[in-house]
């Protein structure tokens, strides 16, 4: 055997043991956590981070760095240990000591924004691998626009059995295979163990054949053999397809009594087993201490790419001035200055034309304006392009051979679409928006929740937003979705009432840099409700008085989207019978909550009778109407029929509103 090879391998083993020691010590100290994955995957991480991954701990946001996603977020100590050892300033030894404690950067699962080097929040299995697909797509999209001199990096993900059992992984790997994302390399911690025990309790598939069938290269190696790991990654980097490297590992590697069992997955090993593991691994250092030679080797690895980063900076500086400015703008996330003016002009035109449009069509018209001046939007639809109207004029589709387009046919893969969009937003340089039916927001929800948690600007266009979609029936008619999306913290749920509000809500969604937005849009045509041009974006208030009462209001009607038309008709009926009525449009609950208490009180008003109208369930509306207010909407599932009949059938009509208000007024409230 070549002695240098032997010593290289020994060195890598000791470097990997540093991860193992830190992981078991931190979990022991926290008295909770998951030592099994970091100990099992330590050899993979060591080879990847010290031989391949291109990054610079001193410049963690270097746009052309390789991305690493720890999809199996429960193995967070693997990531934290590597970041610490590589010299990321955020990740001090004290942070490792404070693993899982309040206010530490080392939360139970990796949280985006807590520390540099954490590229995404993971924990819900399957999300990370789909994020990685989105990051790899973003790389291709941006490379096409700015050139390989400034955009040329790989995306790596470490996944576990659990990641690959989750349904979202199917969607993610199939779109990645279809798009031939060859700079995506997935390392599979193939340990045949999950929480309940051996994997064969619940799984008997063949991951290699599964990935191959999806258009990937797939190989299986010994995940404890550094030379094999190195060779497999090197080969994957030359592949024309995305690559899976199934690394056969032993969970909890090094813990003599618990390794290879689910007992090492998610609980501290215990003092005796930690001591036994130290012995087995030949690790003599005290907890949280790293021998100097090992620390030095990791630090040197951390410095590996600083030269490459400087070279990249020179290449960026050499770009044509306009292109460089544009690159910087996109990566910063600022919108083009031309947008505000373009939307103002468009809104002036709407005030003049007062078009009667379904809001999904109004959205497409708005997108024609937006996409002409905002080159970073990447649109798409989960196989409902003609229904969602998310493909604006002249928008070319992305194909496996050509990423110069801006529209993604996601196929029927809502979950991966939403999660990959998170990956695109996290990558930077792109503002992704999607398309599907509102009822299928359920299929996107885990990813929308993570976008909210990570404060990512992703925009979901969700059409067919109520019984107003008609004949497709109750399976397709959302009733609880608005309430359930509104319940997620940090999500803007917009339900615009006409073309003007649609344009305003789109603008707000684009400007919402700190979180996701959902645009709930109608299938059916709506008349213009906003008849004048306003300097301010009125939807920005979340709720505003659309029509005042003539005199002191006896009734206030709150409504959203398609029910504004009904509310306005009810106002006429009530006005005619001598009950001055005002109508408040509520395009976004969340933005309303951000207004001053005074504005909120004025907008809710003093009218003795308050009615809310929304073709959905009541949940959330008591905020506006009180527990004794009148709610006109849905109490259960919809039905299949032409929509005009459905509105009558479910008593969501101007007459029903007026009658209920009259009853209340006659009863002396
Ligand atoms: C969506 C989701 N479901 C369930 C869990 C809880 N959970 C965490 S790890 C895990 C499975 C562990 O098996 P594996 O993924 O193979 O990880 P390993 O035991 O090898 O570390 C489960 C069910 C989760 N984190 N996410």
């Amino acid at each position: 055997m070549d002695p240098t090879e032997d010593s290289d391998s020994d060195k890598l083993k000791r470097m990997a043991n540093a991860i193992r020691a830190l992981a078991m010590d931190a979990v022991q100290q926290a008295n909770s956590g998951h030592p099994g994955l970091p100990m099992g995957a330590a050899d993979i991480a060591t080879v990847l981070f010290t031989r391949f991954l291109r990054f610079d701990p001193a410049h963690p946001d270097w746009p052309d760095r390789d991305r690493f996603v720890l999809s199996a977020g429960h193995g967070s100590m693997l990531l934290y240990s590597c970041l610490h050892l590589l010299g990321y300033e955020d990740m001090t030894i004290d942070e490792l000591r404070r693993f899982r404690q309040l206010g530490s950067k080392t939360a139970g699962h990796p949280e985006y924004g807590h520390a540099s080097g954490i590229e995404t929040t993971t924990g819900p299995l399957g999300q990370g691998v789909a994020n990685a697909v989105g990051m790899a797509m973003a790389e291709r999209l941006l490379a096409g626009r700015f050139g390989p001199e400034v955009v040329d990096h790989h995306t790596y993900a470490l996944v576990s059995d659990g990641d690959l059992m989750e349904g979202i992984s199917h969607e993610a790997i199939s779109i990645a295979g279809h798009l031939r994302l060859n700079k995506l390399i997935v390392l599979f911690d193939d340990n045949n163990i999950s929480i309940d025990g051996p994997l064969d309790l619940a799984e008997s598939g063949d991951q290699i054949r599964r990935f191959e069938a999806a258009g990937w290269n797939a190989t299986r190696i010994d995940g404890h053999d550094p030379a094999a790991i190195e060779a497999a990654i090197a080969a994957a980097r030359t592949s024309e397809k995305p690559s899976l490297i199934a690394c056969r590992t032993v969970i909890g590697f090094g813990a003599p009594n618990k390794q290879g069992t689910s007992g090492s997955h998610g609980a501290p090993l215990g003092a005796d087993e930690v001591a036994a593991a130290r012995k087995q691994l030949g690790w003599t250092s005290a907890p949280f201490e790293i021998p100097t030679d090992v620390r030095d080797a990791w630090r040197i690895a951390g410095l590996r790419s600083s030269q490459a980063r400087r070279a990249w900076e020179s290449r960026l500086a050499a770009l044509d001035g306009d292109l460089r400015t544009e690159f910087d703008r996109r990566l910063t996330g600022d919108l083009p200055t031309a947008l505000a003016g373009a939307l103002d002009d468009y809104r002036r035109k709407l005030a003049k034309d007062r078009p009667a449009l379904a809001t999904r069509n109004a959205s497409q018209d708005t997108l024609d304006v937006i996409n002409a001046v905002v080159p970073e939007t990447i649109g798409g639809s989960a196989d409902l392009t003609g229904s969602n109207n998310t493909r604006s004029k002249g928008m070319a589709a992305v194909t496996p051979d050509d990423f110069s387009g801006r529209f993604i046919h996601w196929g029927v893969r809502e979950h991966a679409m939403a999660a990959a969009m998170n990956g695109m937003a996290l990558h930077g340089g792109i503002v992704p928006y999607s398309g599907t039916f509102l009822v299928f927001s359920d299929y996107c929800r885990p990813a929308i929740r993570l976008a909210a948690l990570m404060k990512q600007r992703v925009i979901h266009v969700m059409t067919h937003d109520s019984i107003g979609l008609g004949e497709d029936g109750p399976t397709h008619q959302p009733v609880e979705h608005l309430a359930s999306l509104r319940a997620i913290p940090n999500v803007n749920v917009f339900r615009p009432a006409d073309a003007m509000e649609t344009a305003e809500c789109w603008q707000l969604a684009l400007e919402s840099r700190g979180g996701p937005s959902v645009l709930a849009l109608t299938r059916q045509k709506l008349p213009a409700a906003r008849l004048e041009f306003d300097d301010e974006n009125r939807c920005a208030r979340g709720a505003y008085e659309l029509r005042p009462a003539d005199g002191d209001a006896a009734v206030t009607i709150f409504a959203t989207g398609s029910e504004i038309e009904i509310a306005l008709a009810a106002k006429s009926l009530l006005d005619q019978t001598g009950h001055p009525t005002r109508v408040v449009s509520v395009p976004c609950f969340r933005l309303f909550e951000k207004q001053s208490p005074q504005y909120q009180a004025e907008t809710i008003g003093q009218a003795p009778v308050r009615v809310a109208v929304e073709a959905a369930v009541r949940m959330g509306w008591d905020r506006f109407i009180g527990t004794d207010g009148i709610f006109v909407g849905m109490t259960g599932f919809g039905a299949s029929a032409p929509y005009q009949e459905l509105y009558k059938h479910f008593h969501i009509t101007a007459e029903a509103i007026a009658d209920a208000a009259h009853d209340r007024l006659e009863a002396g409230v």
Side-chain angles (χ1 to χ4, degrees):
M1 184 188 291
D2 176 348
T4 53
E5 239 177 54
D6 192 28
S7 69
D8 188 46
S9 164
D10 278 355
K11 186 173 108 185
L12 288 169
K13 284 276 164 201
R14 271 169 65 69
M15 291 170 81
N17 284 343
I19 299 175
R20 295 188 171 103
L22 288 172
M24 66 183 179
D25 288 343
V27 171
Q28 198 62 26
Q29 170 121 337
N31 201 23
S32 76
H34 302 78
L37 186 145
M39 295 178 80
D43 297 306
I44 307 167
T46 303
V47 172
L48 176 65
F49 273 94
T50 66
R51 298 277 155 99
F52 291 100
L53 207 77
R54 216 173 53 143
F55 60 94
D56 184 348
H59 297 267
D61 298 328
W62 172 24
D64 201 30
R65 68 191 181 280
D66 287 342
R67 304 302 196 269
F68 172 73
V69 173
L70 179 65
S71 191
H74 59 277
S76 55
M77 270 309 302
L78 177 85
L79 181 58
Y80 301 153
S81 303
C82 290
L83 297 178
H84 168 70
L85 291 164
L86 290 162
Y88 278 81
E89 239 174 50
D90 277 353
M91 201 53 77
T92 60
I93 195 75
D94 273 354
E95 290 292 346
L96 299 194
R97 285 180 196 274
R98 298 204 318 114
F99 179 48
R100 293 182 152 236
Q101 305 309 304
L102 191 65
S104 74
K105 296 182 194 302
T106 46
H109 295 82
E111 301 267 358
Y112 176 76
H114 279 208
S116 306
I118 300 174
E119 300 281 6
T120 179
T121 294
T122 49
L125 291 165
Q127 294 290 326
V129 64
N131 292 163
V133 169
M135 290 174 185
M137 289 169 73
E139 194 270 348
R140 292 282 301 269
L141 288 161
L142 290 173
R145 282 147 183 80
F146 295 98
E149 302 80 28
V150 288
V151 185
D152 181 10
H153 54 265
H154 282 80
T155 305
Y156 297 91
L158 183 71
V159 307
S160 66
D161 292 300
D163 283 302
L164 298 187
M165 282 194 272
E166 287 292 350
I168 187 174
S169 73
H170 171 75
E171 299 178 22
I173 70 170
S174 64
I175 188 82
H178 169 72
L179 291 173
R180 293 203 291 276
L181 300 175
N182 66 327
K183 286 156 95 179
L184 173 64
I185 299 175
V186 170
L187 297 144
F188 168 30
D189 180 33
D190 182 13
N191 64 19
N192 274 327
I193 291 288
S194 68
I195 293 181
D196 279 0
L199 207 66
D200 62 12
L201 288 172
E203 171 69 66
S204 43
D206 179 336
Q207 297 292 2
I208 299 288
R209 283 167 60 200
R210 175 187 175 210
F211 275 77
E212 281 173 351
W216 289 53
N217 273 326
T219 60
R220 175 165 276 120
I221 59 164
D222 174 354
H224 296 300
D225 176 353
I229 300 166
E230 188 161 351
I233 298 176
R237 287 165 56 93
T238 63
S239 166
E240 302 205 325
K241 302 172 181 177
S243 296
L244 173 81
I245 306 171
C247 308
R248 190 40 64 79
T249 60
V250 176
I251 190 169
F253 182 94
N257 304 300
K258 294 198 172 172
Q259 68 177 23
T261 74
S262 57
S264 68
H265 161 87
L269 296 176
D272 291 349
E273 184 71 355
V274 169
R278 281 193 142 69
K279 208 158 166 209
Q280 170 132 333
L281 295 169
W283 192 261
T284 51
S285 301
F288 300 103
E289 277 180 21
I290 306 293
T292 313
D293 64 316
V294 175
R295 187 174 285 284
D296 287 352
W298 272 101
R299 281 295 159 91
I300 289 166
L303 298 172
R304 257 175 47 246
S305 306
S306 64
Q307 181 62 36
R309 184 192 54 76
R310 280 196 296 274
W312 176 85
E313 278 185 350
S314 313
R315 292 198 299 278
L316 181 69
L319 277 192
D320 164 79
D322 286 349
L323 198 60
R324 195 177 66 233
T325 313
E326 178 64 3
F327 183 81
D328 288 342
R329 183 189 67 74
R330 289 228 204 152
L331 269 293
T332 317
D334 295 336
L335 292 166
T337 45
L339 176 65
L343 281 174
D344 260 16
D345 292 347
Y346 173 61
R347 290 197 305 116
R348 273 179 216 284
K349 185 168 155 21
L350 289 177
K352 195 155 72 61
D353 298 350
R354 300 177 178 178
L357 287 173
T359 49
R360 63 177 172 146
N361 292 110
S363 169
Q364 177 153 33
D365 291 351
T366 311
L367 279 170
D368 285 343
V369 176
I370 291 169
N371 289 340
V373 288
V374 184
E376 60 267 39
T377 50
I378 297 290
S381 171
D383 201 39
L384 290 168
T385 303
S387 300
N388 303 140
N389 300 38
T390 43
R391 188 168 180 172
S392 64
K393 245 185 240 152
M395 211 178 196
V398 166
T399 71
D401 298 314
D402 184 359
F403 273 69
S404 65
R406 288 170 63 186
F407 188 82
I408 295 166
H409 289 289
W410 288 101
V412 193
R413 299 185 182 95
E414 295 86 0
H415 199 178
M417 170 175 74
M421 286 165 65
N422 291 352
M424 289 178 169
L426 287 160
H427 179 281
I430 285 173
V431 179
Y433 70 84
S434 72
T436 187
F437 289 158
L438 181 60
V439 81
F440 303 135
S441 61
D442 287 339
Y443 281 52
C444 306
R445 190 179 174 84
I448 296 177
R449 182 174 191 273
L450 284 172
L453 182 60
M454 292 191 280
K455 303 188 171 69
Q456 291 304 298
R457 175 172 51 187
V458 296
I459 302 173
H460 292 285
V461 174
M462 297 197 158
T463 66
H464 296 58
D465 69 350
S466 75
I467 54 164
L469 66 85
E471 293 84 343
D472 270 349
T475 57
H476 282 51
Q477 292 161 354
V479 286
E480 77 280 26
H481 298 75
L482 291 168
S484 86
L485 289 165
R486 285 171 183 149
I488 307 177
N490 198 34
V491 176
N492 291 318
V493 180
F494 293 108
R495 190 162 188 252
D498 69 355
M500 182 72 82
E501 281 201 358
T502 304
E504 291 184 348
C505 291
W506 253 114
Q507 180 165 23
L508 293 165
L510 288 170
E511 288 171 356
S512 288
R513 290 176 62 162
S517 297
V518 172
L519 290 155
L521 305 174
T522 66
R523 172 177 187 245
Q524 74 275 30
K525 214 184 238 190
L526 305 177
R530 285 270 297 282
L531 307 175
E532 309 299 331
F533 174 78
D534 293 280
D535 279 332
E536 75 166 323
N537 180 331
R538 300 195 76 190
C539 291
R541 299 281 203 162
Y544 65 94
E545 188 176 75
L546 176 66
R547 294 280 191 283
D550 191 8
D552 280 348
V555 180
T556 298
I557 306 175
F558 302 89
T560 72
S562 41
E563 284 70 71
I564 283 286
E565 178 184 8
I566 297 168
L568 291 172
K571 169 180 160 56
S572 297
L573 295 175
L574 287 160
D575 284 346
Q576 280 160 27
T577 49
H579 304 297
T581 297
R582 58 196 281 272
V583 173
V584 173
S585 179
V586 192
C588 182
F589 278 32
R590 179 171 174 269
L591 293 182
F592 182 64
E593 293 306 334
K594 293 187 153 191
Q595 304 307 306
S596 67
Q598 191 195 342
Y599 178 83
Q600 291 181 9
E602 277 169 19
T603 305
I604 288 174
Q606 301 291 333
V609 175
R610 296 187 207 165
V611 189
V613 196
E614 185 166 70
V617 298
R618 175 171 181 144
M619 191 178 282
W621 278 104
D622 289 9
R623 165 74 179 92
F624 291 86
I625 58 175
T627 50
D628 57 349
I630 300 166
F631 182 72
V632 174
M634 301 293 289
T635 51
F637 296 115
S640 174
Y643 80 91
Q644 296 91 338
E645 278 179 47
L646 290 174
Y647 272 89
K648 281 194 203 110
H649 177 75
F650 290 107
H651 306 292
I652 305 174
T653 60
E655 292 72 22
I657 297 168
D659 288 351
H662 277 137
D663 288 351
R664 200 57 78 85
L665 288 162
E666 271 158 32
V669 190

